[in-house]
Amino acid sequence: MQILLTGGAGYIGSHTIIELDKAGHTVVVVDNLCNSKEEALRRVEKIIGKPVPFVRADVRDREAMDHIFKTYTIDAVIHFAGLKAVGESCEKPLEYYENNMNATFVLLDVMRRNGCKNIIFSSSATVYGDPAQIPITEECPKGHCTNPYGQTKSMLEEVLKDVQKADPEWNVVLLRYFNPIGAHKSGLIGENPNGIPNNLMPYITQTAIGIRKELGVFGNDYDTPDGTGVRDYIHVCDLAAGHVAALKAIEKKCGLAIYNLGTGHGYSVLDVVNAFERENGLKVPYSIKPRRPGDIATCYCNPAKAKAELGWQAQYEIGDMCRDSWNFQKNNPKGYEE
Ligand code: NAD
Ligand code: UD1
C-alpha cells in the first residue's frame, strides 16, 4: 500500500517509515517540522537505502493536503501529526486544541473528498486517565484527562468513531500507545526533544551525557513496589511494527478497531534507572523530588487484543530499550543538530 504519514518526520513516524518499508509499503511524509528536523528523514533514507518523498506543509493547509492526494494514490493515512507536550498544553490550551483538532478535521475532510477512508490514529494511554483497572484493557472506560493534550486525544477518538459510524466505508484504527522509548539500532534516529525533556528516558540520557546534572525522581511515596511511578515502556521499533500490523486490519476492512500498544510489563522509575545503568555501565545521579502534578501511580496495559487480532507483540526488553536510547544519545550528543 501507499501510506501517507502525517507528522512522519517525528520520533515515532520516522521509525515507522522503516517498518513500513520492510513490509513492502511505500510512503509519503507530510510534516510542518514544528517539532522535528528534515535531517531525520535524510537518516531514514540512509537506513532504508531509498528516497522518502516529503512535503513540508501543515496538515491544516487544505490546499496543500489536497495537492498531496491528487499527486499520490494514497491507500491509507497514519496520522501522527500533533502537538504532544503535556505541560505546554496547559500553558497554551488554545494552540493545542487548534492544532490537533483542526489538523484532524482538515485531514478527514480531504481524505473523504479524495476517496481515501482508511486511517490509523496515534492515540495514547492518557485517554484512560487514572485507570479503572490494571492491567488496562481496551474495554476500560476512558477517564478524565487532566490536560488539554490528553483531551485532544480523547475528543479526536470520539470524532473518528462518529465518522466511521456515519459512513461504514471508513476503516479507523485507534492505537493507544503506552510509553515509547528506545531508538533504531543504527543510532541514526531517535528521540530529539526540544529544550528540557519532560519525559523520563530523554532526561536520563541527557543526564548520563552530562547535559543535565541529575535526574529528579518525581515522588517515592506512590503505592508501588518501590514507591516510584510504574509505566509500560515500549521500544519505539516495536511500536512502529504495531502500525504495520494495524494496516493488515485495515486491509481486512476492520471498520472501527481500538488497540493498546504496550508490552504489558510495568517498570518503576528506579527500575528504569537501574536497567539503564546496568545495560550501559554508567551512573545516573538522581534525587527524589515531590510528585509531579497530574501523575498517576501505575499504568500498564494488557496487550492481548493486539496479539490475538493483529498477531503483534512487543519483542524488545527494557534492557534493549535502555541500550538503544543511549546509543542514539551518545552518537548524537546534540540531537540532529550536528
Ligand atoms: P513528534 O513531535 O516527534 O512528532 C509529531 C510530528 O508532527 C512532528 O514532526 C511535528 O513537526 C508534526 N506536526 C505537528 N503538528 C503538525 C501540523 N499541524 N502539520 C504538520 N505536521 C505537524 O511526536 P511523536 O512522539 O513522534 O508522536 C507522534 C504522535 O503520537 C503524536 O500525535 C503524539 O501525540 C502521539 N503519542 C506520542 C507518545 C510519545 O510518548 N511519544 C505517546 C502517546 C501518543
Ligand atoms: C507522559 C504524559 C502522557 C503521555 C505519555 C506518553 C505527563 C503528565 N503525561 O506520561 O500524557 O501520553 O507521557 O509519552 O507528562 N519521571 C520522573 N522524572 C522525570 C520525568 C519523569 O521521575 O524527569 C517519572 C514520572 O513521574 C512517571 C515516569 O517517570 O512516573 C514516566 O514519566 P513520563 O516519561 O513523563 O511519561 P508519563 O508520565 O507516563
Side-chain angles (χ1 to χ4, degrees):
M1 287 201 271
Q2 174 126 286
I3 315 296
L4 176 66
L5 286 78
T6 73
Y11 174 45
I12 303 170
S14 56
H15 288 82
T16 302
I17 300 172
I18 297 167
E19 294 301 319
L20 290 169
D21 178 68
K22 265 195 228 163
H25 299 292
T26 54
V27 303
V28 179
V29 169
V30 58
D31 202 305
N32 64 4
L33 303 180
C34 69
N35 195 38
S36 53
K37 298 263 180 337
E38 202 174 337
E39 174 65 12
L41 296 176
R42 302 284 86 79
R43 296 188 181 191
V44 170
E45 289 175 336
K46 234 186 227 176
I47 294 167
I48 67 175
K50 56 184 84 146
V52 173
F54 172 56
V55 179
R56 181 171 184 173
D58 195 300
V59 180
R60 291 168 294 179
D61 180 342
R62 189 176 289 272
E63 263 176 49
M65 293 304 290
D66 195 58
H67 187 69
I68 294 173
F69 279 88
K70 297 274 181 305
T71 310
Y72 300 93
T73 307
I74 304 295
D75 298 304
V77 175
I78 307 183
H79 182 33
F80 295 106
L83 300 175
K84 65 163 184 175
V86 172
E88 189 182 61
S89 81
C90 299
E91 286 151 29
K92 300 181 180 172
L94 254 187
E95 281 77 1
Y96 269 67
Y97 283 115
E98 204 280 318
N99 187 73
N100 293 3
M101 303 305 294
N102 282 341
T104 310
F105 296 152
V106 169
L107 173 67
L108 292 173
D109 189 40
V110 171
M111 284 176 71
R112 72 171 168 182
R113 285 173 192 277
N114 286 279
C116 175
K117 296 183 177 178
N118 296 320
I119 186 166
I120 296 175
F121 175 63
S122 296
S123 188
S124 166
T126 198
V127 301
Y128 294 112
D130 197 348
Q133 92 191 34
I134 296 287
I136 302 170
T137 64
E138 290 80 354
E139 283 69 46
C140 273
K142 298 217 325 276
H144 173 67
C145 294
T146 53
N147 59 81
Y149 162 72
Q151 292 278 38
T152 67
K153 291 295 175 196
S154 182
M155 288 160 57
L156 286 169
E157 283 203 3
E158 298 310 312
V159 169
L160 283 155
K161 284 183 199 168
D162 286 343
V163 166
Q164 198 280 332
K165 196 157 129 197
D167 177 358
E169 277 181 23
W170 278 88
N171 295 297
V172 169
V173 183
L174 308 178
L175 296 180
R176 294 176 178 159
Y177 309 156
F178 281 67
N179 290 57
I181 58 171
H184 188 260
K185 65 177 177 339
S186 62
L188 287 170
I189 59 168
E191 193 171 5
N192 184 36
N194 285 331
I196 302 173
N198 296 301
N199 297 115
L200 179 64
M201 185 52 85
Y203 210 105
I204 289 179
T205 61
Q206 291 197 5
T207 304
I209 208 152
I211 300 174
R212 315 272 157 216
K213 211 168 107 259
E214 63 170 17
L215 170 72
V217 173
F218 299 146
N220 66 349
D221 56 354
Y222 286 104
D223 183 15
T224 60
D226 65 17
T228 66
V230 168
R231 297 291 183 274
D232 189 336
Y233 297 95
I234 174 167
H235 197 296
V236 66
C237 294
D238 275 336
L239 190 66
H243 294 77
V244 177
L247 280 176
K248 289 191 199 132
I250 285 196
E251 276 177 310
K252 288 189 200 145
K253 308 229 170 294
C254 59
L256 171 71
I258 305 177
Y259 298 102
N260 285 338
L261 293 186
T263 65
H265 300 290
Y267 290 97
S268 73
V269 177
L270 294 181
D271 287 337
V272 177
V273 169
N274 291 335
F276 187 91
E277 292 187 339
R278 195 172 54 239
E279 193 62 39
N280 298 309
L282 290 162
K283 274 281 164 216
V284 180
Y286 69 84
S287 66
I288 306 296
K289 298 275 193 265
R291 290 183 178 193
R292 180 172 66 180
D295 270 357
I296 53 175
T298 303
C299 176
Y300 61 91
C301 77
N302 176 343
K305 188 179 178 206
K307 186 178 179 193
E309 295 184 12
L310 302 178
W312 171 90
Q313 195 177 8
Q315 305 294 324
Y316 293 103
E317 310 276 338
I318 190 76
D320 303 315
M321 303 179 211
C322 290
R323 182 197 62 225
D324 292 340
S325 291
W326 175 240
N327 188 38
F328 176 70
Q329 177 76 72
K330 81 170 184 252
N331 287 326
N332 305 274
K334 293 188 178 163
Y336 290 124
E337 273 157 38
E338 275 190 345

